[in-house]
Amino acid sequence: MDSAFLSSYPALLNDKSLMSKLQSLKLVVFDVDGVLTDGRLLYSEQGESIKCFNVKDGVAMKLLPKWGVQVAVITAKDSAPLRLRMKDLNVEHFYPGCHNKAEAFDDLVSRLGIGPTEASYIGDDVIDLQVMPKVGVALCPADAHILVQRHCPIVLNKSAGDGVAREVADMVLSSRMSLEEAYELAQKPEFE
């Protein structure tokens, strides 16, 4: 465990049950707009043409599966830039254009053969409340809607699009080992 990193999350350090849930996660599910992006949508005449992702999140989303924590993305939006980014990150469990996030989540945990409490969900807006009560650990960015913040035992330090996935990965991994150990894999040439 990396208690130096975790010290900035008093809720985790003061709640042994929450820490135990974090340590036993097998799946981390992310929303996109307002989580992996800053929530802005840029449209041209052809539709959505640009999405801005944080490169630090990419490292996180590639690293978690190397340590046995699967990554999924469930999002109401669908676009060519989004699909390209998910392909670049090898996100195997990708649910674009999903308006019933609870149904998608239930399908996902069923296919993976895990319990809902072995999953975490990171969302920022009220549509994400379809899933958050089902998971073991619900998290949200610092700038998430107030109703979402009320349902999350952990409100992250990062805002949307500012490295939310990286913060979540660091939290999950540091609950199990030192961050130096966790990131040894990312330093190898074959990681990229």
Side-chain angles (χ1 to χ4, degrees):
M1 181 166 48
D2 194 325
S3 51
F5 175 81
L6 293 174
S7 66
S8 61
Y9 303 97
L12 271 177
L13 295 178
N14 296 328
D15 187 338
K16 292 190 186 312
S17 171
L18 186 57
M19 179 64 83
S20 177
K21 289 176 185 177
L22 193 66
Q23 291 169 329
S24 64
L25 289 178
K26 295 181 180 174
L27 172 68
V28 175
V29 182
F30 295 97
D31 178 29
V32 174
D33 295 314
V35 174
L36 299 179
T37 74
D38 64 8
R40 291 184 295 164
L41 302 174
L42 305 174
Y43 281 87
S44 70
E45 302 83 35
Q46 291 79 32
E48 189 175 17
S49 58
I50 298 173
K51 273 205 184 292
C52 186
F53 293 95
N54 191 308
V55 71
K56 293 174 187 165
D57 287 343
V59 172
M61 294 173 77
K62 286 182 171 181
L63 188 59
L64 281 171
K66 303 281 187 194
W67 286 107
V69 180
Q70 297 190 60
V71 171
V73 170
I74 300 175
T75 177
K77 297 284 186 198
D78 190 6
S79 68
L82 173 59
R83 286 180 178 272
L84 182 58
R85 183 65 174 150
M86 294 304 106
K87 182 180 177 200
D88 287 347
L89 297 177
N90 298 315
V91 174
E92 181 180 349
H93 311 291
F94 177 45
Y95 292 78
C98 180
H99 297 287
N100 189 334
K101 291 185 175 192
E103 187 177 279
F105 176 78
D106 292 343
D107 173 68
L108 177 60
V109 294
S110 175
R111 285 191 307 109
L112 295 176
I114 65 172
T117 59
E118 295 174 296
S120 179
Y121 186 88
I122 301 87
D124 70 303
D125 214 337
V126 294
I127 190 173
D128 300 307
L129 295 175
Q130 296 175 1
V131 179
M132 288 180 158
K134 296 174 173 256
V135 301
V137 182
L139 302 101
C140 67
D143 58 349
H145 191 276
I146 189 65
L147 292 177
V148 173
Q149 289 186 25
R150 289 178 185 166
H151 283 85
C152 292
I154 302 171
V155 176
L156 299 168
N157 295 325
K158 297 287 186 184
S159 291
D162 192 30
V164 168
R166 186 66 165 267
E167 185 178 357
V168 170
D170 286 352
M171 188 180 298
V172 171
L173 295 171
S174 66
S175 76
R176 301 166 188 212
M177 64 192 80
S178 73
L179 285 178
E180 289 81 9
E181 180 184 353
Y183 278 94
E184 283 178 14
L185 294 174
Q187 296 174 34
K188 297 182 178 183
E190 62 270 15
F191 181 76
E192 283 297 321

